[in-house]
Amino acid sequence: MENECKIVGDLLPLYLENMLSEETMEFVKQHLKSCKQCSDEFEQMKVGVKNHTIEENEGKKDVQALMTVKKKLRKKTMKTISITGACLIAVAILLHTFPIYRLAMLSAYSDFYTNAQVMKALSIGSSSDRKEAQDVLQMAHKAFQDVHHTRAQNEKDYGLLSRYATSIDDYPEENLDFSEYSLQLWSAHFDGDKGSLWVYYSSETLNQKGDVVCGSWEVPSFWEVKKNENGKWVVTNIYEHP
């Protein structure tokens, strides 16, 4: 009997999992009916397996709950990022279209520019108006780059924009070489044959030694323009703080 109990004890785990042949299953079953010691051992084994299963299921539930929380947090985070990104884009577009921060830049010249002029700096203007301004800007670029002609020639070539060219008769002994500059269109507004531009520029002229001869830096400038008899835009007035 003792030897049989040892055999049954080894078979109990497989018996519990129903992994024995029919004959062996029947053998273990009959033995458990007649042997209290093996029967008690089998009952304890079943309780242990049950507890292990419960713990395993609880663990799975905990993991599942944690994954659910993480998923919700991930969705919430992505939603927050999306909303924040959309807000930043909206603010960027708003500031690009209506750059109200320029008020601070122009506040230093509040006694020089009119309110109407300042208000035009706070809106970049329509795409068609900005496109219309390109002819005037191209002429301004040529003037900024010109360091090789007299004042009279510059006035003939560029009109009022000649103030941005460097005349050789102003610096006869400097051997002017080239000009470094930046020219930014702030806004453009046109109505019929009249219009206005806000520009922002910096410029310096260098001689052949590489020395800066003259320059202007970070200057806001308001230009009034009008179409001439040939249908071309020309600058008729320049308002610029001295």
Side-chain angles (χ1 to χ4, degrees), residues 133-185:
Q134 295 308 308
D135 288 342
V136 179
L137 291 177
Q138 287 180 11
M139 182 64 70
H141 281 296
K142 291 180 180 179
F144 273 106
Q145 295 169 9
D146 199 330
V147 298
H148 300 300
H149 297 97
T150 64
R151 186 185 306 108
Q153 184 64 47
N154 289 334
E155 289 176 354
K156 179 181 178 181
D157 292 340
Y158 311 119
L160 290 184
L161 292 175
S162 62
R163 67 185 295 164
Y164 303 117
T166 305
S167 303
I168 57 175
D169 41 6
D170 288 337
Y171 304 95
E173 300 178 0
E174 286 293 346
N175 294 319
L176 302 179
D177 191 15
F178 65 97
S179 172
E180 290 184 343
Y181 73 97
S182 64
L183 177 62
Q184 177 186 356
L185 176 63

Side-chain angles (χ1 to χ4, degrees), residues 12 25 36 66 88 109 135 143 162 178 182 187 207 224 234:
L12 283 180
M25 289 285 290
K36 186 176 186 308
L66 181 60
L88 290 175
Y109 314 112
D135 288 342
S162 62
F178 65 97
S182 64
S187 68
N207 60 22
E224 289 181 345
V234 294

Side-chain angles (χ1 to χ4, degrees), residues 102-133:
R102 289 177 184 160
L103 274 176
M105 301 176 69
L106 294 175
S107 62
Y109 314 112
S110 58
D111 58 340
F112 187 78
Y113 299 113
T114 67
N115 290 335
Q117 290 172 342
V118 171
M119 291 304 295
K120 288 186 177 181
L122 305 185
S123 171
I124 64 174
S126 67
S127 58
S128 60
D129 282 350
R130 294 178 69 83
K131 183 178 180 180
E132 194 76 23

